[in-house]
């Protein structure tokens, strides 16, 4: 009888309803879209942040390039050095989706408020010592603190949403669902890159753009509360005891994770690939101004093409993975394109038309790898360890998101001449190096898939 009732409950699961599972996806994806908007809302504002105080019609804040690099890297400091993201994954597997997701969205909103307060406050000439940055202006330090708290919430929310999608879409359109979630996230990034600078100039300062992001994150908290209601109904219909506790997460099971070579290859591919994309975007607006001579008012529109392209391409490639497989091949193709892009940016060619064409190619790469990489993790790691697996991947990724912007900021400052012009050849060569490592790791993933039978080249839809 138990088997019969289990079958009946499974038939009544909300996730078996296309309308219900796509509604759940939309709710959590919108929350993450707001998170990604806030994550990059300061990227196009670098020209204002680093302009001397009182310059740019009184909007300049007087940060140095190194301070901006430290601020950008502060996003991952707590995740990396306090291991908060890793512990967040364990909390997710132990206490479930609802508790972890709500906590993470509240952290995002709280960090955003601190960051907004920092950029609206004049701290004078005071400085504060910060890890990996030395003495920085107080405004930079407090803004970085808010960004770091936001980063903890955003990354834990990201792994929670990944597990939510696996929960609702396993056996269905898993890669397409993950691709659409990524696409909505990219809309947030694109809006930040395209609209943040014009909004700041129209509304009288950096604080306007940051404040808008904070309001969006408040809406995101409310949206996640709505999802929690759906998740309770899904668990009740599935006759689950309490969240995922019946899966029997044990700390001893972590050895399954740590001894899995396929998992580590996916993890380091994520590190190398994203190190060549997200940190690059934080410097791309100024790159367009200095190297390609694009007007400052329009410079943010070219990097914005990257996320706009992935809005369509990530779901498209995800649908291909669902129907035809070839996930490992998609990852290799994206890594090759990433390398070509940064090699081109390092070349002494300064045509803005070429910059647009190369950014389009980067958009294709940015659609290929995530669409295949994230849906491949559940094929390698069991569901009861999935939160911890995603957390560890995101944790190591955060090492790159934290350290690379600081590195690139210092490199750019060292390559700035007396007139303020920046030579980007060295920094673009560093980004190209990340792409080369991504290619090597992708080849290793293909070999391991053939050896261990992960099924990365097989379709997802059953």
């Amino acid at each position: 009888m138990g088997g019969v009732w289990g079958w009946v409950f499974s038939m009544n699961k909300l996730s078996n309803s296309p309308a219900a599972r796509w509604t759940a996806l939309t709710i959590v994806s919108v929350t993450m879209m707001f998170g990604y908007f806030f994550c990059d809302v300061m990227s196009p504002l670098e020209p204002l942040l680093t302009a001397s105080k009182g310059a740019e019609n009184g909007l300049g804040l007087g940060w140095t390039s190194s301070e901006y690099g430290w601020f950008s890297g502060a996003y991952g400091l707590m995740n990396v050095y306090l291991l908060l993201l890793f512990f967040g994954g364990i909390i997710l597997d132990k206490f479930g989706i609802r508790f972890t997701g709500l906590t993470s969205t509240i952290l995002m909103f709280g960090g955003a408020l601190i960051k907004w307060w920092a950029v609206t406050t004049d701290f004078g000439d005071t400085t504060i010592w910060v890890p990996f940055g030395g003495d920085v202006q107080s405004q930079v330090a407090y803004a970085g603190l808010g960004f770091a708290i936001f980063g903890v919430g955003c990354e834990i929310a990201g792994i929670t949403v990944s597990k939510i999608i696996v929960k609702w879409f396993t056996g269905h359109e898993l890669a397409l669902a993950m691709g659409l979630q990524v696409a909505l996230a990219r809309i947030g990034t694109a809006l930040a890159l395209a609209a943040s600078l014009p909004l700041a100039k129209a509304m009288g300062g950096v604080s306007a753009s940051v404040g808008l992001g904070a309001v969006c994150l408040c809406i995101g908290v409310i949206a996640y509360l709505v999802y929690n209601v759906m998740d309770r109904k899904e668990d009740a219909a599935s006759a689950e005891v309490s969240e995922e506790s019946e899966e029997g997460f044990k700390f001893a099971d972590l050895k399954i994770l740590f001894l899995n070579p396929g998992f580590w290859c996916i993890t380091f591919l994520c590190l190398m690939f994203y190190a060549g994309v997200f940190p690059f975007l934080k410097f791309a607006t100024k790159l367009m101004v200095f190297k390609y001579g694009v007007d400052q008012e329009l410079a943010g529109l070219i990097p914005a093409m990257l996320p706009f392209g992935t809005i369509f391409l990530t779901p498209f490639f995800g649908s291909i993975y669902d129907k035809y497989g070839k996930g490992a091949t998609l990852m290799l193709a994206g890594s090759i394109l990433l390398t070509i892009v940064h090699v081109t940016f390092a070349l002494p060619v300064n045509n803005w038309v070429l910059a647009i064409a190369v950014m389009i190619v980067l958009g294709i790469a940015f659609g290929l790898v995530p669409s295949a990489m994230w849906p491949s993790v559940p094929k390698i790691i069991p569901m009861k360890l999935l939160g911890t697996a995603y957390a560890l991947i995101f944790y190591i990724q955060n090492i790159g998101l934290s350290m690379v912007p600081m590195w690139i900021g210092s490199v750019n400052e060292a390559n700035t001449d007396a007139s303020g012009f920046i030579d980007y050849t060295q920094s673009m060569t560093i980004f190209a190096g990340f792409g080369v490592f991504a290619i090597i790791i992708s080849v290793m993933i293909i070999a391991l898939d053939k050896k261990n039978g992960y099924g990365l080249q097989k379709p997802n839809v059953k």
Side-chain angles (χ1 to χ4, degrees), residues 92 96-101 160 164 167 224 227 231 243-244:
L92 173 58
I97 285 169
R98 294 191 289 273
F99 172 80
T100 311
T160 304
I164 287 171
K167 177 178 180 178
Y224 199 86
Y227 167 77
D231 192 74
E243 299 263 328
E244 292 83 27

Side-chain angles (χ1 to χ4, degrees), residues 387-418:
T388 307
Y390 278 124
L392 192 54
I393 294 172
F394 277 45
Y395 168 75
I396 293 178
Q397 177 195 23
N398 267 250
I399 295 175
L401 297 181
S402 177
M403 294 291 100
V404 173
M406 297 181 187
W407 184 13
I408 298 299
S410 298
V411 168
N412 287 346
E413 186 160 330
N415 286 282
T416 303
D417 63 21

Side-chain angles (χ1 to χ4, degrees), residues 303-457:
M305 295 175 62
L306 171 64
F308 271 123
T310 59
I311 289 167
F312 305 102
L313 293 176
T314 307
F316 173 72
F317 292 132
S319 182
I320 290 176
Y321 189 11
D322 282 332
K323 294 178 181 178
Y324 306 109
K326 305 299 181 184
T329 303
L330 293 175
M331 288 184 261
L332 175 60
S335 299
I336 292 171
L337 291 180
L338 175 71
T339 307
I340 293 173
V341 163
H342 287 308
V343 168
T344 304
F345 276 132
L347 295 175
V349 181
N350 303 329
N351 190 303
W352 65 270
V353 176
L354 177 64
I356 292 176
V358 172
M359 196 64 71
I360 292 172
V361 175
L362 183 57
I364 296 173
F366 204 23
L368 281 165
V369 174
S371 68
M373 181 171 60
W374 299 120
S376 294
V377 178
K379 292 186 174 183
I380 299 174
I381 300 300
M383 182 69 174
K384 66 180 179 180
L385 291 172
L386 202 55
T388 307
Y390 278 124
L392 192 54
I393 294 172
F394 277 45
Y395 168 75
I396 293 178
Q397 177 195 23
N398 267 250
I399 295 175
L401 297 181
S402 177
M403 294 291 100
V404 173
M406 297 181 187
W407 184 13
I408 298 299
S410 298
V411 168
N412 287 346
E413 186 160 330
N415 286 282
T416 303
D417 63 21
S419 66
F421 179 82
I422 302 174
D423 182 355
Y424 283 91
T425 303
Q426 185 178 356
S427 56
M428 292 303 107
T429 302
I430 292 171
F431 284 127
F434 295 142
V436 172
F437 279 112
I439 292 173
I440 295 171
I441 296 169
S442 297
V443 172
M444 292 172 64
I445 290 174
I446 293 174
L448 284 170
D449 182 55
K450 290 181 180 179
K451 179 182 177 181
N452 298 325
Y454 295 134
L456 304 185
Q457 299 289 63

Side-chain angles (χ1 to χ4, degrees), residues 219-239:
I219 297 172
V221 174
I222 298 171
Y224 199 86
L225 288 171
V226 174
Y227 167 77
N228 276 2
V229 175
M230 293 189 66
D231 192 74
R232 286 186 181 276
K233 292 183 178 180
E234 166 72 357
D235 286 353
S238 304

Side-chain angles (χ1 to χ4, degrees), residues 13-190:
K13 289 174 63 177
L14 279 180
S15 56
N16 286 328
S17 164
R21 65 177 178 264
W22 287 108
T23 298
L25 175 70
T26 301
I27 292 171
V28 298
S29 296
V30 167
T31 300
M32 289 310 300
M33 179 182 71
F34 291 149
Y36 275 79
F37 174 84
F38 192 83
C39 186
D40 280 304
V41 76
M42 293 277 270
S43 298
L45 302 179
E46 184 186 0
L48 296 183
L49 295 170
T50 56
S52 58
K53 289 185 178 181
E56 296 287 342
N57 297 320
L59 304 182
L61 295 185
W63 295 12
T64 67
S65 293
S66 293
E67 286 176 332
Y68 174 74
W70 179 86
F71 161 80
S72 298
Y75 173 91
L77 284 180
M78 291 184 178
N79 286 326
V80 172
Y81 295 101
L82 298 182
L83 300 177
L84 295 185
L85 178 54
F86 176 70
F87 290 125
I90 294 176
I91 290 170
L92 173 58
D93 285 332
K94 194 71 176 176
F95 297 102
I97 285 169
R98 294 191 289 273
F99 172 80
T100 311
L102 184 58
T103 301
S104 62
T105 53
I106 291 173
L107 283 172
M108 290 166 66
F109 179 51
L113 288 179
I114 294 173
K115 183 174 170 181
W116 174 79
W117 165 76
V119 298
T120 57
T121 303
D122 184 2
F123 295 91
D125 296 326
T126 60
T127 61
I128 295 177
W129 182 89
V130 296
F132 307 103
D135 290 326
V136 302
Q137 296 180 63
S138 296
Q139 185 177 66
V140 177
Y142 288 121
L145 173 63
F147 201 27
I149 294 172
F150 164 81
V152 173
C154 191
E155 293 299 308
I156 295 177
I159 63 174
T160 304
V161 168
S162 296
K163 189 165 185 177
I164 287 171
I165 296 173
V166 173
K167 177 178 180 178
W168 286 72
F169 282 87
T170 294
H172 302 291
E173 314 89 342
L174 178 60
L176 175 60
M178 286 193 166
L180 288 171
Q181 186 270 314
V182 170
L184 277 175
R186 300 297 177 256
I187 291 177
T189 300

